[in-house]
Amino acid sequence: MKPYAALAGCALLVVASLATAATIRVDLSGSGDYTTIQQGLDAAAEQDTVLVAAGTYTGPLNRELDFHGKAVVLTSESGPGSTIIDCQNAGRGFYFHAGEFWWTVVEGFTVTNGSAYEGGAVWCEISSPAIFNCVFSDNSANFGGAMHLGVGSAPDIEGCVFLDNTAIDYGGGIYAYQSQPYVLECEFTGNEAGINGGALSCKAASSTRILYCSFEDNTAADGGAIYVGMLGAPGGESFIPTIISFSTFFDNSATRGGALFSNSFTLTAVSFCTFARNSAVQGGAVYTLTDFDGFFNLQNCTLVWNNAHYGGGLCCAGVPDYNQTTVTTSIIAFSEEGTALYRQDYTPVTTNFNIVYDNAGGNYMEGPSNLVADPLLCGALTGDYNLCENSPCRGANNEWGFLIGSHRQICGPCESPVEHTTWGSIKGMYR
């Protein structure tokens, strides 16, 4: 009975603690407990809530906001559309550095005009806060235009929007350095980095889980939307892969990897993602480099209307005797420039159970189990990449019995094949 008694005692302590938690209200008008956010955070005790009224918060006590390690919920009354932290290009919004964990919560703010060397809106190191339903717009830094996630951090970032942030070097939206962030249902639009990771750069023994996110109109030299690289990681370490699933990549651009660049020392797994209208010189949608113990796995993805001089869908580079790129159960079609997949000499690549079609530079893909056939999408010209009832990408209609691509069947039979045209001419039809 003693263990149960101990558990009951702990539960009573938790209930008692919650019962004594207070709500502190911040209001610019003076009708609350405090008029600045930092005053509210300083006054809060463990498990208190700091509730912020609508308004635009500026000045020294409304930026570089510091929780000092406390488990406090900072939330807005009216959501990010009307509760704004304007850093006025004089610093960043939040400074997490004292071991904050997931029960330290930020929810419902817009953070804008942040400026710092690292993390224009958020700096996070040795801390793992939860950041929900926030908008990060027009922030800038050398590393991490909106967020710098440093050593030992594993924040939970959900339902956030990253809009028009810029980094001189890495990670226009987020720069992850020796960290393990969880990014769920976030939108990255119009972010830019000078070197890599227009939306997100994951480097130096970092691993990231990216689920149900959208990436649109992001740019960088390498990895217009995402750059994954573990260069400089300690030798012999067992790496955790970066996982990217159920996400969309539209209209991103780069020199290498219009949407995604996966580098050496990198373990990257991509599944059930859609890549459309991305562009680059090498790898319109994806560029992989598998030198020195890297691997890249693409499974059940749809790559359409991407273009690059080398590999409208993918460009794969690397040397023999190392790990490799694997592409399975995916669609690569309608590339306006480049082959479905371009493999540099001697680069190890495995491809199986893929359907390729109407790529401007050619559809050839090595491997015994790849098919050249119209994927029969419900609306390839209008952005509907679901499958027709008679599509060969349905497991019921191919000899492998596998679903090919990232979408399911949602419309009836298609009677005619798609007529190839350029994306520019399609857009011209709607002007």
Side-chain angles (χ1 to χ4, degrees):
M1 295 294 292
K2 288 183 179 180
Y4 295 101
L7 287 172
C10 290
L12 287 172
L13 287 173
V14 170
V15 171
S17 176
L18 290 173
T20 60
T23 297
I24 297 166
R25 192 167 183 276
V26 176
D27 194 325
L28 286 170
S29 70
S31 64
D33 299 301
Y34 299 98
T35 58
T36 68
I37 299 172
Q38 189 62 62
Q39 286 176 309
L41 290 174
D42 290 343
E46 292 284 331
Q47 298 179 1
D48 282 353
T49 295
V50 178
L51 183 64
V52 181
T56 299
Y57 292 80
T58 62
L61 293 178
N62 292 308
R63 60 176 178 259
E64 303 290 347
L65 297 169
D66 194 337
F67 284 71
H68 299 291
K70 291 184 288 188
V72 171
V73 175
L74 175 66
T75 187
S76 68
E77 280 186 333
S78 304
S82 54
T83 315
I84 300 165
I85 298 170
D86 186 346
C87 301
Q88 300 176 303
N89 295 306
R92 62 174 66 89
F94 292 95
Y95 180 45
F96 296 105
H97 64 106
E100 291 88 357
F101 204 59
W102 292 330
W103 41 79
T104 297
V105 177
V106 176
E107 183 174 15
F109 295 89
T110 289
V111 184
T112 189
N113 297 321
S115 180
Y117 183 71
E118 296 175 310
V122 176
W123 163 277
C124 183
E125 188 165 276
I126 319 176
S127 300
S128 302
I131 302 174
F132 302 145
N133 189 32
C134 288
V135 175
F136 300 94
S137 65
D138 296 294
N139 302 288
S140 61
N142 284 60
F143 304 94
M147 290 186 182
H148 178 280
L149 309 178
V151 178
S153 66
D156 185 359
I157 304 164
E158 297 189 26
C160 293
V161 175
F162 295 81
L163 177 65
D164 295 333
N165 302 287
T166 60
I168 293 174
D169 295 317
Y170 310 139
I174 297 174
Y175 176 50
Y177 179 85
Q178 295 186 20
S179 61
Q180 291 79 42
Y182 176 61
V183 185
L184 175 68
E185 295 181 342
C186 291
E187 299 176 15
F188 296 81
T189 303
N191 303 286
E192 182 176 357
I195 298 178
N196 61 51
L200 192 154
S201 178
C202 178
K203 298 186 68 175
S206 292
S207 61
T208 306
R209 288 174 295 163
I210 302 166
L211 302 174
Y212 298 100
C213 291
S214 65
F215 299 85
E216 188 167 356
D217 287 316
N218 303 287
T219 61
D222 287 338
I226 298 177
Y227 174 93
V228 185
M230 293 184 180
L231 293 172
E237 193 168 301
S238 177
F239 298 129
I240 301 171
T242 285
I243 296 172
I244 306 168
S245 294
F246 302 103
S247 296
T248 59
F249 298 82
F250 298 154
D251 297 300
N252 303 285
S253 61
T255 302
R256 296 188 295 179
L260 173 62
F261 185 117
S262 182
N263 207 343
S264 303
F265 295 108
T266 299
L267 315 180
T268 307
V270 183
S271 61
F272 293 97
C273 290
T274 302
F275 299 82
R277 307 186 306 271
N278 303 286
S279 61
V281 177
Q282 300 178 35
V286 177
Y287 181 95
T288 68
L289 179 60
T290 50
D291 292 345
F292 310 112
D293 298 325
F295 82 74
F296 178 88
N297 182 46
L298 186 87
Q299 179 178 354
N300 280 103
C301 289
T302 297
L303 290 74
V304 291
W305 300 110
N306 303 289
N307 68 87
H309 187 67
Y310 298 100
L314 298 94
C315 181
C316 304
V319 296
D321 304 322
Y322 287 100
N323 292 324
Q324 62 184 346
T325 293
T326 301
V327 182
T328 59
T329 55
S330 293
I331 300 168
I332 308 176
F334 314 122
S335 296
E336 296 182 296
E337 181 186 15
T339 56
L341 182 150
Y342 179 83
R343 180 178 66 85
Q344 293 187 6
D345 291 343
Y346 308 113
T347 297
V349 178
T350 297
T351 63
N352 282 303
F353 314 117
N354 301 290
I355 289 181
V356 294
Y357 184 73
D358 204 15
N359 295 284
N363 297 311
Y364 176 71
M365 183 178 286
E366 293 182 6
S369 301
N370 297 297
L371 177 66
V372 177
D374 189 335
L376 294 178
L377 308 178
C378 293
L381 301 181
T382 58
D384 183 351
Y385 307 126
N386 290 292
L387 305 179
C388 302
E389 184 179 352
N390 55 334
S391 169
C393 301
R394 295 184 62 222
N397 298 336
N398 63 57
E399 61 181 295
W400 313 311
F402 298 149
L403 171 67
I404 310 300
S406 57
H407 291 65
R408 62 187 178 89
Q409 182 250 321
I410 203 155
C411 61
C414 298
E415 296 182 359
S416 60
V418 172
E419 181 182 351
H420 183 79
T421 186
T422 66
W423 182 245
S425 65
I426 295 167
K427 290 189 288 187
M429 294 168 60
Y430 297 92
R431 289 174 182 165

